[in-house]
Amino acid sequence: MRTKAHYLPLAVLLVPVALGSTACTDSSPESTTASQDIVAFVDVDVIPMDEERVLAGRTVVVRDGRIAAIGASDEVDVPEGAVVVPGAGRYLVPGIAELHAHIPPPRQGRASTEQTLFLFAANGVTTIRGMLGDPAHLKLRERAARGEIVAPRILTSGPSFNGNSAPDPAAAVRMVEEQAAAGYDLLKLHPGLSRAVYDALVEAAEREGMRFAGHVSAGVGLDRTLEAGQATIDHLDAYVEALAGHGGGFDPGEAGFFGFGMIDDVDRSRIADLARATAAAGVWNVPTLSLMEHLYDANDPEAMARRPEMRYVPEATVRRWVERKQAMQAAPGFTRERADSYIEVRRELVRELQANGAGILLGSDAPQWWNVPGFSLHHEMRMMVDAGLTPYQVLEAATRNPARYVGTDEWGVIREGAVADLILLDADPLADLGNMSETAGVMLRGRWLPADEIREGLDAIAEAVR
């Protein structure tokens, strides 16, 4: 018999955390090195991400933030005065994107915001999509674009649409119009929207040329969300419920945390059909496997608290993460068998979405529980490989696909003329995706951050956290 009391409320769980001090504004790791005019990566192996291939022994010249030349090292001259980066035995890949990120709100302080952005950048994240926006993030987007802070390119939603902020269709339409006028990149949907509100939002968004993305409300369901062409469904929201026969909407109390309460009713034979319907609708998914697996997997939370990246998170926050996982797994209705089934169903969804041509984007919901910005994407990529994707397919979800989602060919690949968002690695990520953490340096729109500068910035954050 199913019980409804085996999860913590979504509103309690989905709260971005502050990293570091909010009082000390001079502890943020901001590079004093201006963007170099010319940088040359010499004798490097290039993974361009236009197709699955490696271009061996290339010289890549970056000038004024763009890739000016790519060619065999014996055919491309290094310009006089260029910063030369040795590439022998190394691999150059496009910067990766975190398509479900959270930027701290202004109340957490400038230091917390800039530390969070640096953690992303330090891990080669050159683009983020902020999924809980604030008017201050519009100014932050421009500061990042001008290179005033070490930060990825920022795409940002406005404040979220939910049952409180958009209680009726008129309120939803007004919010759409206001956020379009303000210049946000997209509309963020949270749970709690009625079908009437959702329909009004969709119509207004189409009029304003605004994308809408995020959660699937219980009163809407997956079927209508696909029909509406929502830009992205995040967290595989409402897929488990649809597999349990509730594609037209569901009882959130019965569904539990992202469908965990309905896992026993799932018909796995319908997964491929849902994947095909998603592809036909042109809807992208940001699975955020790590968001669920970190709560439901068998890893000991005390051991997770000792992971190296936890040094960048306040001890009290890590302690809360430990207690949260313990609470989730001690709640009525939780069993190891049900948790393992839940994880496998979500992985099979990812596998079938990929197999049926539905777009997948990399995202982890950092900085939510256990997901330290930037570092969390390494866990996410590993989980996607465990789900059955190849290293190249995961890298597509991290690089080329986000650019396609945005509708640009300016980044996400390595080609002449593209923006120079790059990661230099000490080992081949196509052989082992774990090598994405073997970073020798990161380039943000032509700004080169070598490994020693990254280490200094990370050490400053760890010290601020302590």
Side-chain angles (χ1 to χ4, degrees), residues 160-176 187 189-205 212 217 219-220 224:
S160 82
F161 291 71
N162 55 68
N164 294 322
S165 65
D168 55 63
V173 170
R174 185 167 57 253
M175 282 183 67
V176 171
L187 312 173
L189 310 188
H190 260 134
L193 301 177
S194 70
R195 174 63 182 269
V197 168
Y198 185 80
D199 289 346
L201 183 156
V202 169
E203 185 177 342
F212 49 99
S217 289
V220 177
R224 170 59 181 144

Side-chain angles (χ1 to χ4, degrees), residues 18-339:
L19 302 177
S21 169
T22 59
C24 177
T25 59
D26 61 356
S27 61
S28 302
E30 183 164 339
S31 172
T32 57
T33 304
S35 297
Q36 300 91 349
D37 289 334
I38 307 175
V39 178
F41 300 90
V42 177
D43 199 24
V44 68
D45 290 349
V46 175
I47 301 176
M49 292 307 299
D50 55 353
E51 59 181 280
E52 188 168 1
R53 60 176 179 154
V54 178
L55 305 176
R58 287 333 197 238
T59 287
V60 178
V61 177
V62 174
R63 186 190 301 269
D64 297 329
R66 290 187 177 267
I67 299 171
I70 305 173
S73 290
D74 59 357
E75 297 176 358
V76 175
D77 293 329
V78 176
E80 185 176 352
V83 174
V84 176
V85 180
R90 290 171 165 171
Y91 293 79
L92 199 65
V93 299
I96 62 177
E98 160 69 273
L99 266 290
H100 196 114
H102 286 285
I103 301 169
R107 67 177 182 276
Q108 291 184 4
R110 175 175 170 175
S112 178
T113 296
E114 294 186 6
Q115 288 163 2
T116 298
L117 294 173
F118 185 89
L119 288 171
F120 281 123
N123 284 274
V125 180
T126 55
T127 299
I128 61 172
R129 187 179 67 152
M131 291 298 284
L132 191 58
D134 183 276
H137 295 165
L138 296 172
K139 294 181 180 178
L140 191 68
R141 181 180 65 185
E142 301 312 311
R143 290 185 66 208
R146 292 192 296 267
E148 295 175 5
I149 52 175
V150 177
R153 172 186 298 102
I154 294 173
L155 310 172
T156 182
S157 76
S160 82
F161 291 71
N162 55 68
N164 294 322
S165 65
D168 55 63
V173 170
R174 185 167 57 253
M175 282 183 67
V176 171
E177 293 170 348
E178 290 171 352
Q179 292 193 16
Y184 290 104
D185 297 297
L186 72 152
L187 312 173
K188 165 63 185 288
L189 310 188
H190 260 134
L193 301 177
S194 70
R195 174 63 182 269
V197 168
Y198 185 80
D199 289 346
L201 183 156
V202 169
E203 185 177 342
E206 290 175 349
R207 280 199 309 271
E208 297 291 339
M210 291 289 287
R211 284 179 160 183
F212 49 99
H215 291 254
V216 176
S217 289
V220 177
L222 183 64
D223 295 347
R224 170 59 181 144
T225 301
L226 294 179
E227 179 187 52
Q230 185 163 305
T232 69
I233 295 174
D234 294 50
H235 321 302
L236 299 175
D237 201 0
Y239 277 85
V240 173
E241 293 89 329
L243 291 171
H246 301 281
F250 51 89
D251 177 349
E254 184 181 358
F257 186 63
F258 288 105
F260 186 83
M262 292 183 173
I263 192 60
D264 295 338
D265 299 329
V266 161
D267 179 359
R268 293 174 69 162
S269 70
R270 296 188 60 237
I271 291 178
D273 289 339
L274 277 186
R276 285 190 286 270
T278 303
V283 173
W284 295 84
N285 265 271
V286 188
T288 66
L289 295 178
S290 57
L291 185 69
M292 312 308 166
E293 295 195 20
H294 280 152
L295 284 175
Y296 284 123
D297 68 20
N299 287 322
D300 176 12
E302 297 289 355
M304 294 170 68
R306 294 190 292 273
R307 288 176 175 173
E309 67 261 33
M310 296 304 158
R311 67 193 289 254
Y312 309 115
V313 181
E315 184 176 347
T317 298
V318 176
R319 197 71 241 153
R320 286 195 295 272
W321 290 351
V322 170
E323 293 167 356
R324 188 155 291 160
K325 180 166 185 171
Q326 291 170 338
M328 293 284 280
Q329 299 201 2
F334 178 89
T335 66
R336 180 76 266 142
E337 292 76 17
R338 296 183 83 229

